[in-house]
Amino acid sequence: MSNTRQLKVIVTGASGMVGEGVMHECLQHPQVEEVLVINRRPSGIVHPKLKEIVHQDFFNLSPIADQLRDYDACYFCLGVSSVGMAKQQYYRLTYTLTMHVAETLSRRNSNMIFCYISGAGTDSSEQGRSAWARVKGKTENDLLKLPFKKVYAFRPGFIKPTKGLKHGHAFYRYINWLFPIGRALFPSGFCTLAELGRAMINITLYGYGRQIIEGKDIIALAGTPI
């Protein structure tokens, strides 16, 4: 089914590996006409489609809120690792920050698609033993209650970085050799960053039958055969 709609999208977390990769796919895609990134410091990236807002405090978006109207989608790629982080700080940076941004956007873009990068192993019951998985599950559950057109929670496992971008995690360089093996043995647990970006764009254009997007869904939405 063809869809010639042009999209205006917001990408958060573009100074990290996932956000940078999603932004890259958006800038390359012929049906994305504008990409707004919100960063704490200038990205240094220049592109005809790219707009950038430099804003330090993601817990207070009121100074820039009026610039966040009339967008078709938000690809929320901000995230932190729970490793070595106090539970209260992880909760604040994962749940509280995400909900503040999402609530701000929902009040200004009732027709918006909100795509949240969660993670494989997220606990939707909020009752499991893993603290990070419970926090991610609560974040997903409460995002789904917001008055967006649609919310999708993406749960990728291993993500292969896009070659040539600046913000790939160093450890991926040492374990990328695992990707073809993992993809062959457990394809739903291994996707590329390019597939993740394309999946978000396609779900905005065409929709999808589920709101929790697992690895196999990411690959299908990207149009990549397993």
Side-chain angles (χ1 to χ4, degrees):
M1 181 173 62
S2 63
N3 185 334
T4 58
R5 181 180 170 204
Q6 293 290 301
L7 302 176
K8 294 173 62 179
V9 305
I10 297 173
V11 179
T12 66
S15 60
M17 185 188 88
V18 175
E20 182 189 29
V22 170
M23 176 189 69
H24 177 76
E25 293 304 313
C26 290
L27 292 175
Q28 305 307 310
H29 199 285
Q31 287 180 252
V32 178
E33 65 177 359
E34 182 184 312
V35 181
L36 172 65
V37 295
I38 310 169
N39 291 326
R40 293 186 176 91
R41 56 188 178 274
S43 67
I45 299 170
V46 178
H47 191 282
K49 293 183 181 181
L50 186 66
K51 292 177 63 177
E52 184 171 33
I53 296 175
V54 177
H55 182 72
Q56 295 295 322
D57 187 2
F58 278 71
F59 291 95
N60 178 19
L61 295 179
S62 56
I64 64 169
D66 285 342
Q67 300 177 61
L68 308 180
R69 298 180 185 275
D70 302 321
Y71 283 88
D72 299 294
C74 175
Y75 303 147
F76 192 91
C77 306
L78 276 175
V80 294
S81 170
S82 64
V83 177
M85 184 176 290
K87 289 182 180 180
Q88 297 89 339
Q89 181 72 345
Y90 181 74
Y91 183 91
R92 182 172 184 265
L93 294 175
T94 299
Y95 177 81
T96 308
L97 185 149
T98 303
M99 293 304 299
H100 174 69
V101 175
E103 287 165 357
T104 300
L105 291 174
S106 69
R107 289 193 293 267
R108 288 158 179 83
N109 303 275
S110 60
N111 208 37
M112 174 178 272
I113 304 291
F114 191 91
C115 295
Y116 172 62
I117 296 291
S118 185
T122 292
D123 177 16
S124 295
S125 76
E126 305 178 37
Q127 302 297 317
R129 296 178 61 185
S130 173
W132 77 263
R134 294 196 305 270
V135 174
K136 284 280 193 181
K138 177 174 175 57
T139 307
E140 287 184 358
N141 291 339
D142 287 355
L143 286 172
L144 290 167
K145 299 171 187 174
L146 293 179
F148 287 111
K149 180 178 180 180
K150 207 76 172 180
V151 174
Y152 297 100
F154 282 69
R155 295 182 177 181
F158 184 106
I159 304 172
K160 183 179 180 182
T162 300
K163 189 175 181 180
L165 300 186
K166 294 191 299 183
H167 297 297
H169 295 311
F171 73 90
Y172 275 104
R173 301 189 192 117
Y174 300 103
I175 61 174
N176 267 340
W177 62 271
L178 286 169
F179 183 82
I181 301 169
R183 181 72 167 233
L185 297 176
F186 184 54
S188 63
F190 290 75
C191 71
T192 68
L193 191 43
E195 287 170 335
L196 182 58
R198 290 200 305 271
M200 288 185 159
I201 296 167
N202 285 338
I203 212 168
T204 305
L205 289 169
Y206 304 107
Y208 200 63
R210 286 187 290 276
Q211 289 179 269
I212 303 300
I213 309 301
E214 308 282 0
K216 62 183 182 299
D217 302 302
I218 293 170
I219 295 169
L221 279 159
T224 307
I226 296 177

